[in-house]
Every structure is written in structure tokens, then in C-alpha cells.
């Protein structure tokens, strides 16, 4: 898995092949093909592995913060840190390739659905440790916004290698949105954060 992650992160999806991964992993191609008969089998296994590695990086970053508001706020930094790892680049390579590789496109939705289900469970836990399970919809929306915004930012600053001059501003804005939601939750406000006038 580590060899496949490295291959995807360094050379991209198109250049990644089972012979190259076997060479980097220092195993025979036959041994690799016994585990993963096709490139698609290998890529889906790598996507699952890379997703787990990203999640572990997020949890490592959040370890100093107990369940509660601080953990929610620092989630922005944790997700951003995870996107600088080779595993995140590998996962993005596989995700983008699902658009143009017909066999991968056919099988990728199962992985994507499982990933989304895992994220949903994490957001339920987040709502519970914030003490507002009834506000799950807002928490899910803010968590999803964080994920997609930082994935997009990573395309500029990490995957392409051009550091975005606006990265810090984006992170600050996402934290501000989370802070406003927390303020709303702590105040027991009935007004969803999406309805608040931010002028």
C-alpha cells in the first residue's frame, strides 16, 4: 500500500502500474497480482488505505483537544494538515481518475458511498459531543464545506505545487464560520448559522 501511495503521489494515476508498484514494493509482480489481479483492484484498495491514513492524520492532529468546541474549531487545521500527506495526493489521484477510467468509474461509487457513510457517522458523534444532536444538519453542512473547500485549496497549494497566497485567509474564514456556529449553538439560538446576517 505504501509503495502504491508513493507511486500515485509521485507519478500520478496514468503512470502508476502494477509492475511499477511491485518494483517499488520490492515484491514480484506475480505476488502483487495474486493480491490484486487488476490495476483497478489495487487502486480501490489504495483509496481505502489512503482514506484511513488521512483519517489517522486528522485524529493525530486533534489528539491534544478533548471532545468539545476546541476540537471542532481545530478540525479545520487537522483536515488541512492531512491534505499535505502523500496519502491525500494518492486518494485525489484515484478520485479524479474515476471520471475518465470506465472500469474505475463503475466501481468507485461503492468506495465513495462507504467513505461518505463514515464521515456521516463522525459528524453524528461531533453533534453529540457538542451536546446538540438536534443541530446535526448544520454541523454536517459546515463539516462538508470545510472538506470541499480545503480539497479545492489543496489542488492549488499541494497537488499542483503552487502555494496559494490566499490559503491562510481561507483557513481563517472556515474557522470563523465554525466559531459563529459554535456561538449560535452555545447561545441556544434557534436561528441556523446559515440564516445569520454576516454583514
Amino acid at each position: 500500500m505504501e509503495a502504491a501511495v508513493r507511486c500515485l503521489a509521485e507519478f500520478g494515476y496514468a503512470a502508476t502500474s502494477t509492475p511499477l508498484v511491485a518494483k517499488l514494493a520490492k515484491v514480484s509482480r506475480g505476488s502483487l497480482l495474486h493480491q490484486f489481479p487488476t490495476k483497478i483492484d489495487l487502486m480501490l484498495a489504495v483509496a481505502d488505505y489512503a482514506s484511513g491514513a488521512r483519517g489517522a492524520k486528522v485524529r493525530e492532529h486533534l489528539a491534544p483537544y478533548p471532545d468539545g468546541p476546541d476540537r471542532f474549531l481545530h478540525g479545520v487545521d487537522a483536515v488541512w494538515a492531512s491534505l499535505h500527506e502523500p496519502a491525500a495526493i494518492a486518494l485525489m489521484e484515484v478520485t479524479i481518475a474515476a471520471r475518465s477510467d470506465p472500469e474505475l468509474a463503475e466501481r468507485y461509487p461503492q468506495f465513495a458511498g462507504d467513505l461518505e457513510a463514515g464521515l456521516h457517522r463522525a459528524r453524528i458523534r461531533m453533534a453529540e459531543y457538542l451536546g446538540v444532536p438536534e443541530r446535526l444538519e448544520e454541523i454536517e453542512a459546515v463539516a462538508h464545506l470545510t472538506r470541499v473547500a480545503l480539497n479545492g485549496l489543496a489542488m492549488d497549494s499541494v497537488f499542483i505545487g503552487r502555494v496559494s497566497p490566499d490559503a491562510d485567509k481561507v483557513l481563517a474564514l472556515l474557522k470563523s464560520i465554525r466559531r459563529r456556529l459554535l456561538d449560535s449553538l452555545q447561545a441556544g439560538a434557534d436561528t441556523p448559522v446559515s440564516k445569520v446576517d454576516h454583514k
Side-chain angles (χ1 to χ4, degrees):
M1 292 295 97
E2 284 295 331
V5 164
R6 177 183 161 198
C7 197
L8 284 163
E10 291 185 13
F11 307 118
Y13 182 86
T16 295
S17 64
T18 50
L20 180 55
V21 172
K23 181 179 178 181
L24 291 175
K26 298 180 181 176
V27 299
S28 70
R29 184 164 183 252
S31 175
L32 181 67
L33 291 176
H34 179 71
Q35 297 279 341
F36 308 105
T38 69
K39 177 179 176 177
I40 302 304
D41 292 322
L42 177 60
M43 293 299 97
L44 289 169
V46 172
D48 189 56
Y49 174 83
S51 175
R54 268 201 64 193
K57 185 67 178 180
V58 169
R59 290 189 295 275
E60 176 188 328
H61 196 89
L62 291 175
Y65 308 102
D67 289 348
D70 283 345
R71 191 177 180 90
F72 181 68
L73 285 176
H74 286 280
V76 173
D77 294 319
V79 171
W80 184 233
S82 77
L83 285 165
H84 288 74
E85 297 294 305
I89 299 173
L91 181 56
M92 185 66 77
E93 285 284 344
V94 175
T95 300
I96 293 171
R99 181 174 178 266
S100 56
D101 185 318
E103 188 181 351
L104 182 60
E106 184 178 339
R107 296 177 59 189
Y108 185 83
Q110 177 66 53
F111 163 76
D114 291 344
L115 176 61
E116 204 53 54
L119 290 171
H120 177 65
R121 288 191 296 271
R123 291 163 186 169
I124 290 174
R125 290 193 299 273
M126 190 183 297
E128 289 172 349
Y129 74 59
L130 288 172
V132 285
E134 72 280 4
R135 305 285 289 271
L136 174 62
E137 186 176 334
E138 293 165 79
I139 290 167
E140 278 211 284
V142 170
H144 184 69
L145 173 64
T146 300
R147 180 174 170 233
V148 297
L150 293 183
N151 278 348
L153 186 62
M155 288 292 291
D156 266 356
S157 296
V158 182
F159 303 106
I160 296 173
R162 180 182 65 83
V163 178
S164 171
D166 294 324
D168 289 341
K169 294 176 184 176
V170 172
L171 294 176
L173 178 59
L174 290 171
K175 289 177 190 175
S176 173
I177 291 170
R178 287 190 171 215
R179 168 52 68 192
R180 289 176 182 179
L181 176 57
L182 282 173
D183 289 346
S184 169
L185 298 177
Q186 291 170 348
D190 292 327
T191 306
V193 71
S194 58
K195 303 289 187 182
V196 174
D197 184 357
H198 296 311
K199 292 180 183 177

